[in-house]
Amino acid sequence: MTDWEDLLGAAPPAVLHARLIPDAEEVLVLSYTCDLSFFEDVCLRDAQAVRARTTVLFDAHHLTEGPRRPGPADYLALPVVCKGGGAFHPKLVVIASETDAVVAIGSGNATASGWHHNAEVWTLTRGDGPTVPALFHQLADWLRRLPEYVWMEDLGRDRLDRVAELLTARPADPGADQPVLVTTALRPIIEQLPRPAGPATQLAVAAPFFDPEAGALQRLVDRFRPQQMRLLLTRDVQCDPDSLARVVKRVPDAAVSTPESSRYHHGKVVEWWSSDQGWALTGSANCSHAALTRTMPAGGNCELGVVSPLTAPVVTAVPAEAVAVSDLARLPIREPSPSASTATESLRVLGVRIGADRVEATVLVGSDGTPPSWLAVNGLRLDHDRATGKLHVYAAVPASDWTATSDGQAVSQVVTDDGTELRDVLVTDVAAALSRIDRPSPLEHTSLPQVLADSAHTAALLEALHHLASVRPDRIPQAPVGGRRRQVENRVRSAVGPALLRFALGLNDAHTQTSADDEDIFEGADPESSPSPARRTRPAPATPAWPGTLASVLDALTPGQRARLRRDVTALVDTSQAWPLPAKLAVSRLVLLLVAGGLWPEAADWADLLYWVLVQLWDTEQEESLDGEHAALATIGLVALRRGIDLHDEPDGRQAGQFDELRIAYREWTDWLATAPPDTIQRYHDGLGGHTLGLLFEQTHFTAELGWILGRTALHDAVDRLDGAHVDANGIVYVEARRSARHSLIAALDALRDFPDVHVVAEGGPETHGWWNGRRLLVVTRSGPAWRAELWRGLLTGIAVFARGTPLRPADQRWTAATPEEALTQASAGSPGALLR
């Protein structure tokens, strides 16, 4: 048994974050109240980072907040209901493999309060040798029997059996003085507490909840007949002060106290001593009849506890302030909250589960309820398939394009045959939840900036990207259930984990860190009361060891580290040339983020790399289910590359030419690019603003900007470099007449010599038109109602000198024309009009 101070705080997150079992097979969580969004933020990453299948069982009436991650859940969140009518109240975390296991049994619910803010009590047990603590075998027996007392889906039964198998894969240690598991399955917990041969020297109780008559406390006093009693009452204790005082006064030497700390003490401890020997009951049981004196079949709660031998006091070690027994009524008292009852609930959908070949929904029908003949989930009709007691299963085989949810969340609405609507039903992708990740990326537990700040993490990310390339959508057969996209996502998720999948899709996972010794004390309500906004407050993230932004991390790298990272990324782009689309999406996004973060200080360097990324995106075989992401990344990449070319101090003809070729290629895909969803573009461009691409880059209207880019040519880019010049819709270049119209015209024609016979017009003097193709110069000037044309042939030395004032030799031919275009036609045909003398 551990000292109280070592048992406070967020034991399960700390244990999961430590990843004590690097290749765990199962993570099992049992809780009364449950905040799935908190669990996803704080713990799911760590479970999936060690490849574990993750199952959370909770009381069906006490889901305080549902999943937050998009799409059907890739872990099992299973609401359960006690058959006897009590509360499903255990608090358990198991992390297990064939050769190792960690078991935490305590008092904290899977919420921000229970796993972070409250003072809780946890007993942690490790089994990593040839034998395991006997408690593991006791727990396995209880898990196997649990479905006898609790309504749950078959998936829950399967996961409990598998965890039990892992816990009993090795023989139990027969040693004495080991902790012993106690439950409410067969006998009341109070009858399982070892009684000393004579009266106990001391009984100490800490609990946040007492039954109104203090009957359970009275039973403890009767059982142990203590000479002393010490009662630790947390603030906002739920009790009847008068009943509590009557029990306390029956003990000759009794004292009551309340913790000095402002932290809510939600831990439950019953401690008793005889001479120098002590024992303690810890776990989920409050000091109430439902927890201590009744069994589950008799209407008691489902409780889980551990009886451990003690060598030092636990309850009295807590710094506390004495409270006179006569003043108990002056303590802050919590009024009992109304308890949910299954007897008054006619129908509850425990979940919608998407399997390999069909969709199932499990319905718990109350005593007065009638099972519907069918259900509808997002338009799909599920017919009655089978029943086990009050559990009824409905099933259907959907069309290939059916999805369980219409808003992208892991919850759906179910409609029964009589029109009853049941909202916020949990939806799980069973294949994803039961698969184990081949090679989790470090993004499962670490943010991208922190990954790139650590060379080992960076290497692991590159390795995961190479493994992601093994997922080839063209080799994924179309399954009879679910959409194509779900199948592709499942393959990616099982290969490298959900974090790298989300990264490739442009989604950001905010990883909230918690610490067992966090001093951010929560002043809100107890998690076992009714939901409230205050109770759902997230723990404040711990201060990261490295700067939080990608740019600041890259700035902090040494020159050698920056050079090595550039080489690694360049090699990655070269290697990824033949990779399929999911891996290309991840590589492309990584390059864009590193460009924006400033890994390459010169635009000339990163523009070349980004060009090849866009060439590869253009060459990659399409996967229709990922068209939105494909088009969105190409859109942002083209706009970013154009930005890089514009940032050059001097025009780079090679890069400008490459970009023009790329622009022409993508112009064939204009309609496809236009289908990129705005929200997908938004996801990908978040985080790209900054010094490299410009602070306002994220505010760009990328679709409009891309339309402007694709509508342009290399001529537009060349004209942009001419002061005061522009191109109209017909490709005619207009320049301002400066010193003279003719000089301005010739200067522009020379600057645009890479575009033979481009039509240039000088405005602001006598309107003058010109064409130059490297050998022939044609200048046409308005002369009254007509146009005067002048033609020079064989100007082998070019025309730049004539723009700077050197006189042109006399024209080879001069004539009048009706229009400048007519003059060009005549010059090209070699048949000028009326010659001028």
Side-chain angles (χ1 to χ4, degrees):
M1 190 69 181
T2 313
D3 290 341
W4 177 284
E5 288 300 322
D6 293 334
L7 294 170
L8 300 182
V15 172
L16 286 163
H17 186 64
R19 278 173 273 143
L20 301 173
I21 305 176
D23 192 24
E25 183 176 329
E26 301 283 344
V27 167
L28 174 66
V29 175
L30 272 55
S31 182
Y32 173 55
T33 55
C34 183
D35 180 343
L36 288 176
S37 65
F38 166 81
F39 178 77
E40 290 175 349
D41 283 349
V42 176
C43 297
L44 184 60
R45 282 174 177 264
D46 293 315
Q48 293 176 332
V50 295
R51 305 180 61 231
R53 303 180 188 95
T54 304
T55 305
V56 184
L57 269 62
F58 56 92
D59 191 293
H61 304 91
H62 292 277
L63 178 63
T64 63
E65 194 166 335
R68 194 163 60 171
R69 287 156 46 133
D74 57 355
Y75 63 101
L76 296 177
L78 305 176
V80 302
V81 176
C82 290
K83 296 179 179 180
F88 183 76
H89 201 253
K91 285 82 172 167
L92 169 72
V93 177
V94 178
I95 308 168
S97 70
E98 293 279 358
T99 58
D100 201 352
V102 176
V103 171
I105 298 173
S107 60
N109 292 294
T111 64
S113 297
W115 281 13
H116 179 71
H117 296 297
N118 293 342
E120 305 284 359
V121 176
W122 289 91
T123 298
L124 273 68
T125 310
R126 179 81 180 269
D128 57 353
T131 62
V132 296
L135 182 141
F136 283 19
H137 282 247
Q138 298 161 11
L139 178 61
D141 291 342
W142 180 76
L143 292 175
R144 292 189 180 104
R145 292 197 312 268
L146 190 58
E148 300 175 19
Y149 308 105
V150 173
W151 294 116
M152 69 172 64
E153 299 173 73
D154 291 341
L155 278 170
R157 183 190 303 267
D158 294 343
R159 300 316 333 132
L160 294 179
D161 285 346
R162 180 54 185 157
V163 172
E165 289 177 13
L166 295 175
L167 290 174
T168 55
R170 291 161 289 161
D173 181 358
D177 295 329
Q178 295 187 53
V180 175
L181 192 78
V182 294
T183 76
T184 51
L186 301 175
R187 295 170 58 203
I189 285 180
I190 195 169
E191 296 179 7
Q192 301 172 60
L193 305 182
R195 188 160 38 188
T201 55
Q202 187 183 87
L203 171 67
V205 177
F209 296 92
F210 295 79
D211 58 83
E213 300 81 17
L217 183 63
Q218 180 64 63
R219 289 281 302 273
L220 288 171
V221 171
D222 292 343
R223 183 174 184 82
F224 294 111
R225 295 173 294 151
Q227 299 168 6
Q228 293 182 340
M229 184 164 73
R230 300 294 180 258
L231 196 60
L232 183 67
L233 302 180
T234 189
R235 59 181 179 80
D236 295 333
V237 62
Q238 181 176 303
C239 69
D240 178 76
D242 295 333
S243 299
L244 212 59
R246 282 195 296 272
V247 175
V248 170
K249 290 176 181 178
R250 295 187 57 184
V251 179
D253 181 3
V256 181
S257 60
T258 187
E260 292 179 356
S261 169
S262 60
R263 172 173 278 184
Y264 185 88
H265 278 240
H266 186 255
K268 306 104 166 47
V269 181
V270 176
E271 173 188 344
W272 62 102
W273 289 82
S274 177
S275 300
D276 294 332
Q277 177 62 59
W279 295 266
L281 165 67
T282 58
S284 64
N286 285 297
C287 194
S288 66
H289 281 305
L292 291 179
T293 71
R294 296 179 189 150
T295 62
M296 293 178 66
N301 293 342
C302 177
E303 304 282 3
L304 190 63
V306 178
V307 175
S308 307
L310 292 180
T311 57
V314 172
V315 174
T316 56
V318 178
E321 301 172 355
V323 178
V325 175
S326 58
D327 289 340
L328 290 183
R330 298 182 182 178
L331 288 174
I333 302 297
R334 176 185 297 274
E335 293 297 325
S337 56
S339 59
S341 173
T342 58
T344 59
E345 188 175 44
S346 61
L347 196 71
R348 173 178 285 275
V349 181
L350 296 183
V352 173
R353 312 305 174 195
I354 305 173
D357 55 2
R358 67 178 190 168
V359 176
E360 290 189 353
T362 303
V363 175
L364 177 62
V365 180
S367 301
D368 299 330
T370 302
S373 58
W374 55 268
L375 305 173
V377 180
N378 201 23
L380 174 68
R381 172 170 165 156
L382 280 66
D383 293 311
H384 193 276
D385 184 71
R386 63 187 185 275
T388 304
K390 295 181 180 181
L391 288 182
H392 295 258
V393 177
Y394 297 76
V397 177
S400 61
D401 59 350
W402 176 83
T403 57
T405 59
S406 57
D407 58 0
Q409 298 302 307
V411 293
S412 189
Q413 176 178 307
V414 175
V415 180
T416 67
D417 56 356
D418 63 0
T420 302
E421 294 184 358
L422 303 165
R423 300 179 181 275
D424 298 334
V425 177
L426 297 174
V427 179
T428 302
D429 186 326
V430 177
L434 297 185
S435 65
R436 299 187 68 207
I437 302 170
D438 292 341
R439 196 166 302 165
S441 79
L443 295 176
E444 293 296 337
H445 51 79
T446 308
S447 67
L448 179 63
Q450 290 174 316
V451 166
L452 296 174
D454 182 278
S455 59
H457 282 338
T458 302
L461 176 60
L462 296 176
E463 182 181 354
L465 287 169
H466 280 78
H467 189 59
L468 175 56
S470 67
V471 178
R472 305 195 67 89
D474 59 323
R475 298 177 184 173
I476 301 175
Q478 184 72 40
V481 63
R484 171 71 178 175
R485 182 181 177 99
R486 186 173 68 85
Q487 297 167 37
V488 173
E489 288 186 6
N490 281 349
R491 288 294 182 89
V492 173
R493 186 184 291 108
S494 63
V496 293
L500 190 50
L501 168 65
R502 290 173 61 79
F503 179 81
L505 299 181
L507 299 166
N508 294 309
D509 259 340
H511 181 44
T512 305
Q513 297 180 346
T514 56
S515 169
D517 58 357
D518 199 315
E519 294 300 325
D520 179 22
I521 305 301
F522 180 67
E523 299 293 345
D526 172 70
E528 295 190 4
S529 65
S530 58
S532 70
R535 219 187 71 239
R536 294 195 295 267
T537 302
R538 297 280 191 277
T543 302
W546 281 82
T549 68
L550 186 58
S552 58
V553 166
L554 295 177
D555 284 345
L557 297 179
T558 65
Q561 290 172 325
R562 291 171 66 89
R564 183 163 53 251
L565 182 56
R566 290 191 205 110
R567 288 195 301 269
D568 288 344
V569 175
T570 301
L572 177 68
V573 172
D574 291 342
T575 304
S576 67
Q577 183 173 354
W579 286 3
L581 184 58
K584 284 281 184 65
L585 295 178
V587 172
S588 302
R589 188 183 183 204
L590 179 62
V591 170
L592 279 168
L593 288 168
L594 290 173
V595 165
L599 181 59
W600 294 271
E602 300 297 331
D605 298 328
W606 61 258
D608 266 341
L609 188 65
L610 188 53
Y611 165 77
W612 286 112
V613 166
L614 288 164
V615 168
Q616 292 182 18
L617 281 177
W618 189 81
D619 284 336
T620 301
E621 183 175 351
Q622 282 183 260
E623 164 56 46
E624 187 176 353
S625 65
L626 298 175
D627 263 356
E629 286 76 12
H630 194 173
L633 267 177
T635 296
I636 295 172
L638 285 165
V639 175
L641 181 55
R642 169 63 195 231
R643 174 71 175 144
I645 292 174
D646 289 345
L647 288 173
H648 284 51
D649 293 332
E650 296 292 336
D652 187 319
R654 178 184 60 82
Q655 287 190 348
Q658 288 179 334
F659 181 75
D660 201 48
E661 293 174 3
L662 196 62
R663 177 167 47 195
I664 293 170
Y666 271 99
R667 193 177 292 149
E668 300 175 13
W669 287 12
T670 300
D671 292 341
W672 173 80
L673 289 167
T675 64
D679 62 329
T680 305
I681 294 175
Q682 169 89 28
R683 297 200 309 257
Y684 279 121
H685 74 59
D686 283 349
L688 297 183
H691 176 72
T692 301
L693 296 174
L695 295 174
L696 299 180
F697 185 78
E698 291 175 287
Q699 309 304 317
T700 302
H701 191 305
F702 285 91
T703 303
E705 185 75 10
L706 181 63
W708 178 79
I709 289 174
L710 293 181
R712 293 166 59 81
T713 65
L715 174 63
H716 289 83
D717 293 338
V719 170
D720 282 349
R721 292 190 284 269
L722 296 179
D723 187 26
H726 68 279
V727 184
D728 71 4
N730 297 314
I732 300 175
V733 179
Y734 292 85
V735 298
E736 295 179 1
R738 299 295 175 87
R739 183 173 57 176
S740 72
R742 174 170 292 205
H743 284 126
S744 298
L745 176 75
I746 292 176
L749 288 171
D750 179 69
L752 301 175
R753 58 186 171 274
D754 291 334
F755 305 93
D757 276 341
V758 64
H759 186 176
V760 178
V761 180
E763 300 178 303
E767 186 176 341
T768 307
H769 296 244
W771 291 265
W772 162 247
N773 65 8
R775 298 292 297 274
R776 182 207 67 212
L777 173 65
L778 174 64
V779 177
V780 182
T781 309
R782 179 175 288 279
S783 178
W787 294 87
R788 184 182 64 192
E790 298 175 274
L791 179 66
W792 291 265
R793 291 191 178 92
L795 295 177
L796 298 181
T797 59
I799 60 174
V801 294
F802 307 123
R804 294 193 290 269
T806 300
L808 272 164
R809 60 177 169 79
D812 296 319
Q813 288 180 286
R814 301 172 66 208
W815 71 97
T816 58
T819 65
E821 289 76 16
E822 179 185 85
L824 176 64
T825 301
Q826 293 168 343
S828 300
S831 56
L835 293 178
L836 297 176
R837 301 296 179 186

